Amino acid sequence: MSFRRGVVRQSKFRHVFAQAWKAEHGIDDVRVSRVTWDTSLCAVNPKFIAVIIEAGGGGAFLVVPISKSGRVDQSSPTVCGHAAPVLDIQWSPHDDNIIASASEDCTVKVWQIPDGGLTSPMTEAIVTLEGHSKRVGILAWHPTAFNILLTAGCDNVMCVWNVGTGELVYQLSDSHPDLIYSVGWNKDGSAICTTCKDKALRVIDPRRNTVLKVREKVHDGTRPMRAVFLSDGKILTTGFSRMSERQLALWDTKDLSEPMAVQEMDTSNGVLLPFYDPDTNMVYLCGKGDCTIRYFEVTDESPYVHFLSLYSSKEPQRGAGFLSKRGVDVNKCEIARFYKLHERKVEPISMTVPRKSDLFQGDLYPDTASSEPALLAEEWIAGRDAPPLLVSLSGGYAAPPSKHRDTLRSKPKFASQDSGAHPTAASTKEPEEEAPQQRVAVRETDGNAERPKREDDILNELLAEMKALRAVVLAQSQRIELLERQLARIEDGDV
C-alpha cells in the first residue's frame, strides 16, 4: 500500500473512537441464544433492547427498556409464542413498540410491546404470518411504507406482507435457486438486493417479481455473504475470497461487471455483518466470534471505501444490535451505538466524534429518518415510492405521541374489511385493547381541553380512514385493470 507524502484525506469521521460503557451500565445474566444461524441476535430502537435467548421447548426473546442496566432476573417475562427457536428479530422503523420475529417453526409473528416493557410472558402475537414451508431466518421492514414486511426462508422463497391485514401481498419463489443469505431494501423501498448460496448478487423489484440485475460470483469463497444498499444506490457486500480471506466490496448498480473497490481483511471464519449509517455514510463490520468492530467511510473519491479504525476487546461477540440514529446522545457527539452480545451479558459501545464545543454539531447530525412513514401499505402496493420523511436531531430526539401511529395501525384494518381481507383473530383484539387507553388519556386531560381533544381525535381517525380507503380503491382499480388485460390476452390467444 502506498501513501502520498503530506496528503491527508479530510474527513470529520477520521477520529471517531469507540468506547465500551462501564460494566454497571451493561445488562447481565442474559442467556444469549446458541442457535447456529448467522444473524445479529439483537435488535435495538430508542425505546427497547430485544435479544434472542436460550429457551427450552420453543423459541423466545427478551425485551427490556433501553434504560435497563444490571442483572436480568431469570424469572423476567419474555416473548415466547414460537414453537421452535427464534432466528431473527426486527423492530418496525415506524412504531417503536412493534417487533417482528422469524422462527424455525416456519412462521413470522408480529408483537406489540407495551410502553415500559413486559410485565408478564407474551404468548399471543397481534399477527401471525404463515406462508413459508421451511424455517424463516430473514426479516426486513420496508424503510418508508407502513406495515410492509419482507421475509425470506430456507425454502428459497421471499414473501412480502401487509402486516396490517395479515395478507401475503407478493411471493417471490423463482428468484433464487439456493439458500438466501441476506435481503436489504434500497433507500425508497423500490428494490431489494439479495445474496445467495449460489454466490450471486441480485437486484430485484419485488412488486413486479423481476430480477433487475445479477452479478455472479460476487465473492469467490463458499462462506455466506451479506449485502446492503447505500443511500446513493450503490451496494456494499461482505464475503470471502477463494483463499478464505474476508472481503469487503463496493458495487455500482449501473455496472456490476467489476467492483468499484475490494478490501481484504483477515482469515477469520466469522461472517461479517454490515451495519450501514446513511447519515454519515459509514459502514460498521461486526464478525460473529470476532473481538473487533471495524468501521469504514464510503465516499465518491477513490478508493471509495476508507478504513477509519477498529474497536477491539478481549471477549468475542455472539452478535450485536445497532441503535437507530434517533436514539443516540447528540449532546455527547455520539454518532452510533452498538449493543455487543457476550455469552451472558449485553455491553453498550458508543462511537463518538471528539468535539470541544457543547453546542449541537449540525455537521455530524443531518436530518435523519423519522418514525413517521412516508406511505401507507396500500399506496406502496399500488406502485408509489417515496424517500423517508426526515426529522432534526437538534436538541435531542423525542418520539412523537403514539396516538397518531395507533391511528395508522388501525387504518389497514378498516380498509381490509372493505377489501374482503380477513385479519387474524389476534389482530382484531387490538382496537378493543386501545380503546380503554384512549378513554383514560381523555379523562386525564383537564375539563376545558376534553371536548376539543376528543373532536380532534375523531377527525384525525376519519381523515386517516378516508386516506386508507382511497388508497385501497386505487390499488383495487389497478388490480382490476391488470386482470382485465390478462383476460383480454387469454381471449386473444396470446397466452
Side-chain angles (χ1 to χ4, degrees):
M1 186 182 292
S2 61
F3 296 91
R4 285 178 295 173
R5 188 186 299 253
V7 178
V8 177
R9 190 181 70 89
Q10 295 299 312
S11 170
K12 50 182 168 281
F13 303 116
R14 278 178 53 228
H15 302 294
V16 170
F17 70 95
Q19 188 168 27
W21 291 19
K22 292 181 180 178
E24 59 264 28
H25 297 306
I27 306 173
D28 298 315
D29 269 6
V30 178
R31 296 170 296 129
V32 177
S33 173
R34 296 178 178 274
V35 66
T36 54
W37 186 256
D38 290 316
T39 183
S40 60
L41 300 177
C42 180
V44 192
N45 70 18
K47 280 188 180 180
F48 299 106
I49 304 167
V51 181
I52 302 174
I53 58 172
E54 285 288 292
F61 59 95
L62 178 73
V63 178
V64 295
I66 198 165
S67 57
K68 168 72 179 174
S69 61
R71 183 174 172 273
V72 173
D73 195 278
Q74 294 303 307
S75 61
S76 296
T78 61
V79 181
C80 50
H82 282 287
V86 176
L87 299 180
D88 195 13
I89 48 176
Q90 295 291 333
W91 291 103
S92 165
H94 303 128
D95 191 324
D96 288 339
N97 294 72
I98 298 295
I99 188 169
S101 59
S103 168
E104 287 188 5
D105 65 10
C106 307
T107 70
V108 172
K109 293 178 182 286
V110 181
W111 314 83
Q112 184 172 14
I113 308 299
D115 283 326
L118 301 176
T119 54
S120 61
M122 182 173 282
T123 57
E124 293 295 322
I126 54 172
V127 182
T128 297
L129 308 173
E130 298 176 319
H132 290 279
S133 59
K134 292 185 179 179
R135 61 182 180 168
V136 190
I138 298 173
L139 298 169
W141 289 96
H142 193 285
T144 62
F146 189 67
N147 274 343
I148 293 293
L149 176 66
L150 187 147
T151 63
C154 293
D155 50 7
N156 310 336
V157 172
M158 291 190 301
C159 296
V160 180
W161 307 84
N162 180 348
V163 172
T165 63
E167 179 187 4
L168 176 58
V169 184
Y170 304 107
Q171 188 171 47
L172 292 79
S173 53
D174 303 322
S175 305
H176 300 87
D178 213 328
L179 182 67
I180 301 166
Y181 283 146
S182 72
V183 175
W185 293 95
N186 66 351
K187 185 176 181 178
D188 65 0
S190 59
I192 55 176
C193 65
T194 69
T195 56
C196 178
K197 196 173 181 179
D198 67 355
K199 302 182 184 179
L201 168 68
R202 292 172 174 84
V203 179
I204 298 171
D205 182 339
R207 286 175 295 199
R208 291 191 292 159
N209 194 358
T210 304
V211 178
L212 305 175
K213 296 281 180 74
V214 182
R215 161 66 184 179
E216 308 287 347
K217 283 200 173 183
V218 175
H219 297 278
D220 290 327
T222 56
R223 300 275 295 141
M225 304 183 302
R226 291 289 184 273
V228 289
F229 258 116
L230 306 188
S231 56
D232 61 0
K234 296 183 181 71
I235 296 174
L236 185 134
T237 62
T238 63
F240 293 78
S241 71
R242 190 178 286 105
M243 304 302 291
S244 296
E245 291 178 304
R246 295 197 292 190
Q247 293 179 322
L248 165 71
L250 183 67
W251 303 85
D252 187 344
T253 48
K254 298 184 183 74
D255 181 10
L256 293 176
S257 59
E258 290 295 330
M260 296 176 65
V262 177
Q263 287 201 20
E264 294 186 342
M265 278 163 276
D266 55 29
T267 53
S268 296
N269 61 2
V271 175
L272 285 170
L273 305 178
F275 297 91
Y276 173 60
D277 179 0
D279 299 338
T280 60
N281 231 28
M282 286 175 62
V283 176
Y284 303 85
L285 299 185
C286 295
K288 296 196 75 172
D290 286 8
C291 299
T292 59
I293 299 175
R294 294 175 173 84
Y295 37 106
F296 301 79
E297 184 180 4
V298 183
T299 69
D300 293 329
E301 60 187 67
S302 181
Y304 307 111
V305 180
H306 308 271
F307 174 73
L308 295 174
S309 187
L310 63 81
Y311 165 79
S312 185
S313 62
K314 293 179 181 178
E315 295 184 57
Q317 56 226 11
R318 298 279 295 278
F322 188 55
L323 178 64
S324 69
K325 189 58 69 74
R326 293 183 288 116
V328 300
D329 188 345
V330 298
N331 298 315
K332 294 181 179 177
C333 294
E334 181 185 46
I335 60 168
R337 188 188 308 165
F338 281 88
Y339 286 81
K340 175 181 173 179
L341 302 188
H342 297 252
E343 193 168 348
R344 289 188 71 90
K345 71 175 181 179
V346 181
E347 179 185 39
I349 300 169
S350 288
M351 306 288 179
T352 309
V353 177
R355 291 284 170 95
K356 292 179 180 178
S357 172
D358 292 331
L359 299 174
F360 175 71
Q361 305 294 309
D363 62 322
L364 299 182
Y365 301 105
D367 289 355
T368 192
S370 77
S371 59
E372 294 300 320
L375 297 170
L376 293 172
E378 292 79 7
E379 293 174 314
W380 181 79
I381 294 166
R384 283 190 59 189
D385 295 315
L389 299 180
L390 303 180
V391 63
S392 172
L393 293 177
S394 176
Y397 177 79
S402 59
K403 173 176 68 67
H404 182 50
R405 290 202 297 276
D406 286 343
T407 306
L408 272 175
R409 188 156 55 245
S410 66
K411 281 189 236 180
K413 294 189 182 68
F414 292 128
S416 68
Q417 292 162 10
D418 291 290
S419 60
H422 301 287
T424 62
S427 66
T428 57
K429 292 180 191 172
E430 193 180 342
E432 296 172 13
E433 292 170 359
E434 286 175 5
Q437 296 170 2
Q438 291 172 352
R439 285 198 295 272
V440 170
V442 170
R443 277 202 300 270
E444 286 173 354
T445 59
D446 61 7
N448 295 332
E450 188 173 337
R451 186 180 299 276
K453 186 178 189 306
R454 189 181 296 129
E455 290 175 356
D456 286 348
D457 287 349
I458 293 170
L459 181 60
N460 284 336
E461 288 179 14
L462 287 173
L463 289 171
E465 188 177 350
M466 286 171 61
K467 189 176 179 183
L469 288 171
R470 192 180 301 119
V472 170
V473 170
L474 177 62
Q476 296 299 336
S477 65
Q478 292 187 349
R479 176 73 176 157
I480 290 168
E481 187 179 338
L482 176 64
L483 292 172
E484 286 175 342
R485 285 203 301 270
Q486 290 176 344
L487 182 61
R489 287 173 59 197
I490 292 169
E491 289 173 347
D492 294 342
D494 292 344
V495 177

